[in-house]
Amino acid sequence: MNREELDKLVKYQIITDAFDYQELDPDIVEKYKYFEDKFNELLAEKANQFKLKDCHFVIKNHSYCNAFARTVKGYNIIGITTGYTIQMHNIFDQKNIIHILLIALMGDQQLSHAYADLYNLENFELNKFMLNCSIQFTFSHEFRHILQFNSSKISVDYYRNENLDHSTFEMKKHAWEFDADRMASFEVMKYIFKMKRKYQVNDDNIFKCMLYTGLGSIFITKVFFYFRFETSKLDLNKIDFYTKKYSHPHPIVRMFNIIDYFYDNITDFFPKLEVTKQDFLNNALGIIKLYFFYYQPNRNIIAEILNDIDNHLNEINDYNEELFEFAINDTAIVNLLNASGTNFH
Ligand SMILES: [Zn+2]
């Protein structure tokens, strides 16, 4: 967005506390610009595809890692915080972590080789690939909220952000998150397919590694949103399992929804790939484990997650089914699915 447009939107109070990074150090400017260019590019493409007018992207000055979607006075705004930009940039730019990832990933000999092969693909940058998967997911999730707002019968101003709010629960909001996660996962899969073609990846194991790292990148992003990571603080407080509570479904419920959707689509598109839901879960959790070990070496985050999965597996699956049923009967979502010709029964 240029200065003039930004000033106009601030003046009309469409945007508050917009962040202007132009005067900062050149290396910081470069980081912000990377995110801004990517989000703007994706927004222009999708706004055009869905014929949506007055769409804008904004970076908000806030230390929490967060993203949001808003329709206000006819404008459609997608935003991220400065906290998101810094956290995502740091976590996906840790060359050390990438090395740990390659060395430590799984006991599976074949797969370890495949990760090494992926890492060594000519001109391919694994950390950039993961960062782009994260951006693709965040953008597509927020854009889906914009579409949900616009296809709702009630014409009011809407706002959704991705930090967990303990004060409210609404089934509809959980269902909208469920739907936004599925659509965003689909866009990440499309991005991975595009990269598979671009780098001419014909080996099934390398392709699997691309899918696992893509999925891992979605989960890492989600954990950061969830635990309200601040740039200065890296506490990770586990949230006890719940179903019908709070502003968003529990992270584990969402992870299972995303894995289910990945699995259904991948087995549809690539029936010969021979990948199971358990493979997706194990590998994505393996990636989370490595990343968070770096941040909190004294805690076994993965054991805590696995424990919750063990104790609540039926509830997780039942609640996702309930969300699916609710979603396919929600007017805004039904309108979107019909418009896109998606067969959802
Ligand atoms: Zn959301």
Side-chain angles (χ1 to χ4, degrees), residues 189-201:
M189 280 184 256
K190 274 168 45 187
Y191 172 74
I192 298 173
F193 301 163
K194 202 166 112 187
M195 292 301 108
K196 179 184 186 293
R197 281 195 302 276
K198 182 176 173 185
Y199 291 96
Q200 299 175 348
V201 173

Side-chain angles (χ1 to χ4, degrees), residues 22-40:
Q22 299 299 345
E23 305 298 319
L24 302 173
D25 288 346
D27 59 324
I28 300 178
V29 169
E30 195 189 325
K31 285 177 190 169
Y32 280 110
K33 197 166 172 349
Y34 185 82
F35 282 83
E36 190 167 65
D37 288 350
K38 285 266 174 217
F39 273 85
N40 273 326

Side-chain angles (χ1 to χ4, degrees), residues 141-142 145 160-162 177 180 248 254:
H141 180 102
E142 297 312 320
H145 283 321
R160 280 301 273 166
N161 78 71
E162 301 312 323
E177 293 302 329
H248 296 66
R254 300 178 74 175

Side-chain angles (χ1 to χ4, degrees), residues 2-14:
N2 63 36
R3 187 74 243 179
E4 215 172 286
E5 277 180 319
L6 184 67
D7 286 345
K8 192 179 92 183
L9 296 181
V10 171
K11 190 177 145 202
Y12 294 148
Q13 293 188 319
I14 307 297

Side-chain angles (χ1 to χ4, degrees), residues 20-113:
D20 187 358
Y21 58 81
Q22 299 299 345
E23 305 298 319
L24 302 173
D25 288 346
D27 59 324
I28 300 178
V29 169
E30 195 189 325
K31 285 177 190 169
Y32 280 110
K33 197 166 172 349
Y34 185 82
F35 282 83
E36 190 167 65
D37 288 350
K38 285 266 174 217
F39 273 85
N40 273 326
E41 191 186 306
L42 290 165
L43 186 56
E45 182 196 324
K46 286 291 166 185
N48 184 37
Q49 185 188 334
F50 287 90
K51 313 234 174 315
L52 272 185
K53 282 193 182 138
D54 292 319
C55 295
H56 295 282
F57 167 73
V58 66
I59 299 176
K60 199 177 160 127
N61 193 7
H62 204 286
S63 61
Y64 282 148
C65 179
N66 202 357
F68 59 91
R70 194 172 175 215
T71 59
V72 53
K73 301 174 188 168
Y75 286 90
N76 298 301
I77 313 289
I78 281 184
I80 53 174
T81 57
T82 45
Y84 168 85
T85 319
I86 292 164
Q87 281 298 343
M88 292 303 122
H89 199 278
N90 287 346
I91 201 147
F92 292 117
D93 200 41
Q94 292 289 351
K95 294 285 189 311
N96 292 340
I97 295 292
I98 296 293
H99 284 295
I100 297 169
L101 185 84
L102 287 169
I103 295 159
L105 254 168
M106 314 297 119
D108 186 325
Q109 196 76 34
Q110 246 186 347
L111 221 48
S112 301
H113 284 304

